Amino acid sequence: MSVTIETTAASDPVRRTPWYRSLFLQLLVAIVAGILVGKLWPDFGADLKPLADGFIKLIKMVIAPIIFCTVVLGITHVGDMKAVGRIGVKALIYFEVITTFALLFGLLVGNLVKPGAGFHVDAQTLATGAEKIAKTTKNGELPHAVDFLLNIIPTSVISAFAENALLQVLFFAVLFGLALAKFGERSGTATGGVGKGSPPVILEAVDHIGKIFFTIIGWIMKLAPLGAFGAMAYIVGQYGLSALGSYGKLIACCYGAAMLFLLVLAVVVRVFAGVSLWKLVKYIKDELFLALGTASTEVVLPRIMIKLTEAGCSRATTGLVVPTGYSFNLDGATLYLSICVLFLAQALGVDLSLGEQITAVGVLMLTSKGMAGVPGSSFLALSATISAIGHGSIPVAAVALLLGADRLMDSMRVTVNLLGNCVATFVVAKWEGQLDSERMRKVLDGEEVPPLEDKDPMVAYAAAKD
């Protein structure tokens, strides 16, 4: 039985959707139409980029408050600072292990397949490469590790929301949720001052605000096919499909590595959480297609958080792991970057030693963490890696060789990134004992399930006080 979770609230019941109103079908038609328009009328297709940009901006407009409300409600339900800390630490440990494996796996595939062999690029012809990269990245740079960590702390609460800095919003939401839980404990025993009803009133307000924003998301999602159509028409119209021939071996190598890596994720999520990756893919197929069509995982962040919660992951785990994973768990991007390092070396006829490859992995472990939200971040990360290797035969300008193929890799990156974060949420939830395995099984099997028992924060609060 096919089911669709509406986005008006995380706790809405599962309901049937007529096939002609299926978001999956609408996105499929929109993506195919976008490819055809971009191929037949490339100039017109390239001009349709504002459709995609407008849709993505609409989604980003409400992401920050949704994360805030979800995390605050989740943490107040847990009500334990130690438990929240454990979730965060376990998530970061998982992220580091899996992204390091992705980097090493990419190097293994690149060494075996040798996607750059046969290019025979002359380094002297890359004189303008640095200018092209600077134009693509808008002369930006990735933050250093210390700067990246310090930037998680917002200058002010208002600036975090105004700048749509998700990690900063998450940081403040965690503090606010912990403080609210602590405040509730004190007010429950206080004889004067703040009344006992204050914490539930605040929780109820946050819950209602969250539902309002989810309602807005529901309206915006009706424009998803239009955004996917514009994005696909632009990509094909602007870059064409001719690059498929020139970079065929690199593209095949990256997509093949992605498929193998997904098999690894399938084993991980089955062993550590008891989840079937194939059933998970079917469950989030709408979100996968939307991410593929718009080449962005941010546009599906609110819906993914709803669906993971509906599938048995606790609000606290989902609220902490998913937004954090968007910066710390970019499995697809790290896999792509490690393959590209070897591609550039092989295209220039350079044989990187084991030590130089290990150096590349070390640099990418740092640079990949600050990639989210930075224009041309993959080129900046590769440029930093090439510089760190210090091999004179590989100029930094060589990164420009990837300009023609980079956009064609978006589908691979967003798919692996999105599935990687979903897997991480299930694994951490199971690890922390915050996964309802029976509900997860029923939801992924397409069975109808009752609304979440803790849909009203007042219920969880009252139960905790009793």
Side-chain angles (χ1 to χ4, degrees):
M1 178 180 65
S2 176
V3 298
T4 297
I5 308 297
E6 298 293 334
T7 56
T8 54
S11 56
D12 281 349
V14 178
R15 62 186 69 178
R16 295 171 182 267
T17 299
W19 66 268
Y20 56 86
R21 294 184 58 189
S22 166
L23 181 60
F24 177 80
L25 178 62
Q26 293 175 1
L27 287 170
L28 180 62
V29 172
I31 290 172
V32 172
I35 293 173
L36 291 176
V37 169
K39 176 64 177 176
L40 298 176
W41 303 285
D43 292 338
F44 176 65
D47 291 337
L48 294 177
K49 188 172 183 288
L51 293 178
D53 291 344
F55 173 72
I56 292 174
K57 288 185 71 175
L58 284 171
I59 294 290
K60 287 184 175 181
M61 174 181 69
V62 294
I63 283 180
I66 283 177
I67 288 178
F68 175 79
C69 294
T70 302
V71 172
V72 168
L73 289 171
I75 289 177
T76 50
H77 286 175
V78 174
D80 182 358
M81 185 178 297
K82 292 182 179 179
V84 173
R86 285 198 307 270
I87 294 172
V89 170
K90 289 176 180 179
L92 291 176
I93 291 173
Y94 176 87
F95 293 159
E96 195 58 43
V97 170
I98 204 71
T99 52
T100 301
F101 175 81
L103 287 171
L104 295 174
F105 187 74
L107 286 181
L108 175 64
V109 172
N111 278 297
L112 293 176
V113 179
K114 299 186 184 302
F119 264 69
H120 306 299
V121 175
D122 184 358
Q124 301 298 323
T125 63
L126 300 174
T128 61
E131 297 177 3
K132 293 179 180 178
I133 293 298
K135 181 179 180 181
T136 302
T137 60
K138 300 178 181 177
N139 292 309
E141 61 180 22
L142 292 176
H144 296 292
V146 175
D147 293 333
F148 173 69
L149 293 176
L150 287 177
N151 285 337
I152 294 176
I153 305 173
T155 303
S156 72
V157 173
I158 296 175
S159 69
F161 285 90
E163 297 170 7
N164 213 29
L166 299 188
L167 282 180
Q168 294 183 1
V169 172
L170 178 63
F171 179 80
F172 173 68
V174 170
L175 293 179
F176 190 90
L178 290 172
L180 188 58
K182 192 70 174 177
F183 180 70
E185 293 176 3
R186 292 176 177 174
S187 64
T189 58
T191 57
V194 181
K196 294 183 180 181
S198 298
V201 169
I202 298 174
L203 280 176
E204 187 176 22
V206 173
D207 184 56
H208 288 327
I209 292 172
K211 288 178 179 178
I212 290 172
F213 279 107
F214 277 120
T215 300
I216 296 173
I217 280 288
W219 295 340
I220 296 173
M221 289 306 300
K222 296 182 184 299
L223 301 175
L226 190 62
F229 168 74
M232 195 56 63
Y234 164 72
I235 291 173
V236 177
Q238 180 72 22
Y239 298 96
L241 297 176
S242 58
L244 288 172
S246 304
Y247 294 91
K249 193 172 182 180
L250 173 62
I251 293 170
C253 179
C254 288
Y255 278 85
M259 294 300 295
L260 292 174
F261 185 78
L262 289 179
L263 292 178
V264 175
L265 288 181
V267 173
V268 170
V269 76
R270 168 64 76 177
V271 171
F272 293 101
V275 177
S276 165
L277 186 65
W278 175 244
K279 290 181 179 179
L280 176 60
V281 168
K282 290 194 295 183
Y283 177 58
I284 63 169
K285 65 181 185 299
D286 291 353
E287 289 70 31
L288 279 172
F289 254 73
L290 180 56
L292 288 172
T294 58
S296 171
T297 53
E298 280 193 334
V299 297
V300 298
L301 190 150
R303 285 177 60 97
I304 281 296
M305 293 175 71
I306 292 172
K307 284 200 164 182
L308 291 175
T309 304
E310 193 68 34
C313 297
S314 71
R315 283 185 177 182
T317 303
T318 303
L320 289 171
V321 175
V322 176
T324 309
Y326 270 53
S327 291
F328 288 90
N329 191 40
L330 303 173
D331 299 338
T334 52
L335 184 67
Y336 166 72
L337 290 173
S338 58
I339 292 175
C340 285
V341 168
L342 291 180
F343 168 81
L344 294 176
Q346 293 160 2
L348 290 164
V350 176
D351 186 18
L352 292 180
S353 67
L354 178 61
E356 289 169 332
Q357 293 189 33
I358 293 175
T359 299
V361 170
V363 175
L364 288 173
M365 284 175 63
L366 295 174
T367 57
S368 62
K369 299 298 185 292
M371 289 175 57
V374 180
S377 56
S378 59
F379 297 110
L380 292 172
L382 284 170
S383 298
T385 304
I386 296 299
S387 298
I389 292 175
H391 203 300
S393 300
I394 310 179
V396 174
V399 177
L401 290 172
L402 294 166
L403 285 171
D406 187 71
R407 290 306 297 265
L408 299 173
M409 304 296 182
D410 281 340
S411 296
M412 181 275 286
R413 289 192 293 246
V414 299
T415 300
V416 179
N417 287 347
L418 183 58
L419 284 173
N421 281 312
C422 291
V423 168
T425 306
F426 278 109
V427 170
V428 174
K430 181 70 173 180
W431 193 359
E432 184 59 19
Q434 295 196 26
L435 175 64
D436 185 341
S437 297
E438 181 63 21
R439 184 181 182 88
M440 175 269 294
R441 183 193 63 77
K442 289 182 179 180
V443 169
L444 295 188
D445 284 342
E447 300 178 19
E448 293 190 8
V449 293
L452 292 171
E453 293 180 0
D454 64 345
K455 65 177 182 177
D456 185 349
M458 301 285 288
V459 175
Y461 183 87
K465 301 313 294 181
D466 291 339

